[in-house]
Amino acid sequence: MAGGGGRPRAVFMAFGTRGDVFPVAALAAAFARDQQQYAVVFITHSAHRSLAGHLAASNVRCMPVSSPPVLAAEQVENISCGSQSNHGDESFSSRKMVIQVEHRKECLSSLEEVFGDDPSINGDFIVINFFALVSWTDIIHWMWALFTESWGSWRSNCLNLSPIPFTDPVTNLPLWHMREESTLLLYGFSKEIVECPGYWPSSAHACGFWFLPTAWQFSCDKCLELSRNMNSSLGSVLCAKHSSMEHFLVGNSYSSRPVFVGLSSIGSMGFLRNPKAFLMVLKAAIESTDYRFILFSSGYQPLDSAIQSIASSAPKSSEAEASSLSDDSTLLFNDRLFCFSGSIPYSWLFPRCAVAIHHAGSGSTAAALLAGIPQVVCPFLLDQFYWAERLHWLGVAPAPLQRQHLIPDNDDPSSIHNAAEVLRGAIKSALFPEIKAQATSIADRLSFEDGIGEALRILKERVLIQGQT
């Protein structure tokens, strides 16, 4: 693709978990559809291979790199197994360093393949994600790594640049005086949710949340096809294979809507070390209330295995109910916990739920806000703590849970009981009328926004048009 056949080239690079990567991919696809004169490339981890087909449909070439989105808990344990703790830490650090070096090489190789030795064409640009940072304090904190010897050596030896960012490679003097303006910074969140202080430079823009295309959110092709054939929003039913989920959600025999529970990539990031304890907390909450839960396992194998282990040892559901379940669905605990290892759009699911319990990731947060339902959040790292506190401050969620109140490390009766009591209290608080009303009010305001469309408009205005002048 070197030279792009005379076409300007747009490279979108996104790394991290699904929540870090997929919104940027959605922007790349939207840009490619709108600006067909561009050769558009998307570079990300090979673990996100499911994106390739979606991107190809918008004429975006997907170029994978082999580095993992995260190092899973199992990898950490395998590295440290049989070693003293300090030796294990050194081994893990060494492993991370190897991955980082290989990641840089593969990214640089991909860019060389795209641009080759051709001179830059007017309009070429690169978009790269900076994870999910939500304030300048975060950015300043995480940018220190760019000034370390590791990054400096790479910039100097591999890129032939100054070892220190924003300095002349010959004199090492700062180049700030030569910069016409700061790099364009696009935030995929709403001004209705995040306060944007007046000291932000004009190059920083809060666009609105970047929601994924509906087609990207189905793990079942038949459900996707059915949604395309219905005039109403995503259709009124799922496919026959997944009709049991819809029955669980809206069946006439139930007096209230279920509570959603989903932790997305938290398991693969090593935080869900005892899946059985997590399930026992839900069981205890079910037994002490009239709540029903729908759990998305996100395909995390240890959690799916725990679900199947409990299912195999429990009394069977009625024959009619059991026969209607698909391979990715399981009913537990007197048929009041519906477990699903696939995916369907939150925009279809959340309006059918009473509350969303999640890890305060930006994607889950945005989807629940748009659906107008109360939230119970349990943050684990980075920006999740910001979103959790923000939701509480906005009045759409009670105070955030601590992780031992949702996924305790131990499954002893005392730990399970205490966690379930806290969870039950949080759900009860989330269902207060004032929280439900506030969630509805915010959803009404968000419904007027188009985050991807606004980001696309800014890219065209600040990159394409200015590049042509």
Side-chain angles (χ1 to χ4, degrees):
M1 186 176 168
R7 302 165 64 193
R9 293 150 292 192
V11 177
F12 292 77
M13 306 174 70
F15 307 107
T17 65
R18 176 187 174 98
D20 298 315
V21 170
F22 276 53
V24 183
L27 178 59
F31 180 85
R33 292 191 300 270
D34 187 77
Q35 300 292 315
Q36 297 182 21
Q37 75 276 18
Y38 266 83
V40 183
V41 172
F42 189 75
I43 302 173
T44 191
H45 309 285
S46 58
H48 299 310
R49 63 181 63 87
S50 64
L51 278 172
H54 298 311
L55 292 171
S58 298
N59 292 319
V60 178
R61 179 188 178 189
C62 194
M63 300 182 71
V65 295
S66 62
S67 58
V70 295
L71 279 179
E74 296 89 338
Q75 292 175 279
V76 177
E77 291 166 357
N78 289 339
I79 291 170
S80 303
C81 183
S83 304
Q84 295 181 349
S85 59
N86 60 340
H87 188 197
D89 291 341
E90 291 175 3
S91 299
F92 184 49
S93 298
S94 300
R95 173 64 176 152
K96 288 198 298 184
M97 181 62 69
V98 170
I99 290 174
Q100 184 184 72
V101 170
E102 291 302 314
H103 175 78
R104 291 172 177 174
K105 287 182 179 178
E106 289 190 55
C107 289
L108 184 57
S109 177
S110 296
L111 289 174
E112 288 175 340
E113 182 179 343
V114 172
F115 292 101
D117 296 325
D118 299 330
S120 176
I121 297 176
N122 189 24
D124 287 351
F125 68 91
I126 298 175
V127 174
I128 186 168
N129 70 328
F130 207 1
F131 298 101
L133 308 182
V134 293
S135 71
W136 283 108
T137 302
D138 288 339
I139 292 174
I140 292 171
H141 171 75
W142 287 103
M143 281 189 68
W144 68 266
L146 299 179
F147 295 84
T148 62
E149 181 179 354
S150 172
W151 282 94
S153 299
W154 179 67
R155 287 173 54 84
S156 178
N157 298 334
C158 299
L159 302 184
N160 296 319
L161 299 173
S162 168
I164 303 175
F166 314 124
T167 58
D168 185 278
V170 177
T171 66
N172 284 330
L173 294 176
L175 292 176
W176 287 104
H177 65 282
M178 297 177 59
R179 295 172 61 86
E180 295 183 3
E181 60 178 305
S182 300
T183 302
L184 183 62
L185 181 60
L186 303 178
Y187 282 119
F189 54 62
S190 170
K191 294 178 182 178
E192 295 286 347
I193 307 303
V194 178
E195 292 180 333
C196 302
Y199 59 77
W200 277 15
S202 60
S203 57
H205 302 268
C207 306
F209 290 110
W210 296 356
F211 294 107
L212 306 184
T214 299
W216 295 19
Q217 302 174 59
F218 280 101
S219 58
C220 173
D221 292 338
K222 290 184 178 179
C223 288
L224 170 59
E225 192 62 31
L226 185 62
S227 76
R228 288 171 171 168
N229 293 334
M230 300 296 292
N231 293 325
S232 58
S233 177
L234 297 184
S236 59
V237 294
L238 300 176
C239 75
K241 179 181 176 182
H242 292 102
S243 60
S244 57
M245 181 189 299
E246 185 162 27
H247 177 71
F248 184 84
L249 289 166
V250 300
N252 293 330
S253 60
Y254 305 119
S255 59
S256 62
R257 293 180 295 172
V259 174
F260 169 84
V261 185
L263 299 179
S264 191
S265 59
I266 288 301
S268 63
M269 297 181 76
F271 291 100
L272 189 51
R273 293 184 175 273
N274 193 335
K276 180 185 175 182
F278 175 45
L279 294 171
M280 290 300 101
V281 170
L282 298 182
K283 181 176 186 288
I286 285 172
E287 292 175 342
S288 63
T289 68
D290 61 353
Y291 300 141
R292 295 176 299 118
F293 293 86
I294 179 166
L295 169 65
F296 275 27
S297 70
S298 300
Y300 180 53
Q301 188 57 49
L303 179 55
D304 286 334
S305 296
I307 291 170
Q308 294 307 315
S309 176
I310 294 173
S312 64
S313 61
K316 298 298 182 182
S317 303
S318 66
E319 286 190 19
E321 189 69 27
S323 64
S324 69
L325 292 176
S326 58
D327 295 339
D328 50 18
S329 304
T330 306
L331 276 170
L332 297 180
F333 311 143
N334 199 26
D335 296 350
R336 289 172 59 190
L337 175 63
F338 189 103
C339 305
F340 184 58
S341 61
S343 62
I344 58 173
Y346 284 165
S347 56
W348 182 89
L349 175 65
F350 281 0
R352 292 164 169 80
C353 296
V355 177
I357 301 175
H358 58 87
H359 59 302
S362 58
S364 301
T365 295
L369 285 168
L370 186 63
I373 62 172
Q375 304 179 53
V376 172
V377 288
C378 180
F380 292 83
L381 75 165
L382 298 175
D383 64 307
Q384 295 168 12
F385 291 97
Y386 171 84
W387 292 116
E389 292 294 341
R390 190 65 182 166
L391 292 174
H392 182 45
W393 189 90
L394 289 169
V396 298
L401 298 176
Q402 297 181 28
R403 68 180 63 171
Q404 68 268 23
H405 295 144
L406 188 61
I407 54 171
D409 290 331
N410 302 313
D411 53 15
D412 61 276
S414 177
S415 298
I416 299 302
H417 173 76
N418 292 338
E421 282 297 294
V422 173
L423 179 60
R424 182 183 63 82
I427 297 172
K428 182 179 179 181
S429 297
L431 291 171
F432 284 168
E434 55 268 31
I435 288 184
K436 295 169 70 175
Q438 178 67 352
T440 300
S441 174
I442 289 178
D444 289 341
R445 299 200 297 272
L446 293 181
S447 66
F448 294 99
E449 297 185 345
D450 175 11
I452 292 287
E454 178 64 7
L456 181 59
R457 183 193 67 80
I458 295 169
L459 269 179
K460 291 160 61 177
E461 178 183 294
R462 300 294 298 272
V463 177
L464 274 61
I465 296 178
Q466 288 189 11
Q468 295 169 1
T469 58

